[in-house]
Amino acid sequence: MVLPEMTMDPVGRKLVNLLQEGLPLEKDPYGILARELGVSREEVTERIGALVDGGVIRRIGGVFDSAAMGYTSLLVGAAVPGEVFRDAAAFVNSFGGVTHNYRRSGPLNMWFTFASGDPGEIDGLLAALRERFGLTSVYPFPKVKHFKLRVFFDMEKE
């Protein structure tokens, strides 16, 4: 999908920066963003919708300590043939516990993170991924130590 031109104009770039910093924990966070951007609340929701539809933003939501909530999380590396990569990525992304899924160069070209409170769901996802796409190289790497990197892509910096 092609993003509307207004989506990444200066207001759109500032909006992406504000979203990366986190939504205000207020009754009307989009209204607060709208006031900061000098646009209407409706424009903020339209712009966010276009960013989601265009694949610039995958999700907007909270970040929680999954282990403290009884979840197990792991990183998975897989070798996925190019001809099924898109379908395999869509399948993986259909699971709510998948927070990141990236294509990389090298033998293990798909890397994703998955968290679940049900160990059977984790095993089921990995087994289904192997079976459905004929994959022989799917490697789970359970979390041993927690690392949280604060990544910020400055959209306003030239």
Side-chain angles (χ1 to χ4, degrees):
M1 167 172 244
V2 176
L3 292 171
E5 266 187 54
M6 72 167 212
T7 304
M8 295 311 286
D9 64 4
V11 171
R13 291 178 184 281
K14 178 146 180 96
L15 174 60
V16 172
N17 277 356
L18 291 171
L19 291 171
Q20 290 182 83
E21 293 170 0
L23 287 175
L25 294 176
E26 301 288 339
K27 183 177 180 181
D28 184 18
Y30 289 176
I32 293 168
L33 293 176
R35 284 190 296 281
E36 189 159 340
L37 294 167
V39 299
S40 69
R41 186 185 189 287
E42 292 73 28
E43 185 173 333
V44 168
T45 59
E46 287 172 12
R47 284 176 179 269
I48 290 172
L51 291 165
V52 170
D53 291 345
V56 174
I57 296 174
R58 178 164 177 224
R59 66 181 279 280
I60 295 178
V63 177
F64 302 95
D65 182 348
S66 57
M69 297 169 47
Y71 282 69
T72 298
S73 63
L74 68 156
L75 174 66
V76 177
V80 181
E83 62 271 11
V84 297
F85 193 93
R86 281 185 174 271
D87 292 335
F91 174 74
V92 167
N93 292 343
S94 72
F95 287 80
V98 173
T99 57
H100 300 83
N101 188 358
Y102 298 101
R103 185 174 202 156
R104 299 283 187 233
S105 59
L108 300 179
N109 59 345
M110 178 183 286
W111 289 88
F112 62 92
T113 57
F114 185 63
S116 177
D118 176 6
E121 183 182 24
I122 294 171
D123 294 339
L125 165 61
L126 299 178
L129 182 62
R130 287 181 183 106
E131 183 180 318
R132 187 170 182 171
F133 299 100
L135 306 181
T136 56
S137 299
V138 177
Y139 302 102
F141 299 95
K143 182 171 87 173
V144 175
K145 185 175 181 181
H146 180 75
F147 292 94
K148 183 64 181 167
L149 303 177
R150 172 102 166 85
V151 178
F152 183 85
F153 299 101
D154 190 345
M155 299 299 293
E156 296 177 286
K157 189 173 183 179
E158 299 266 342

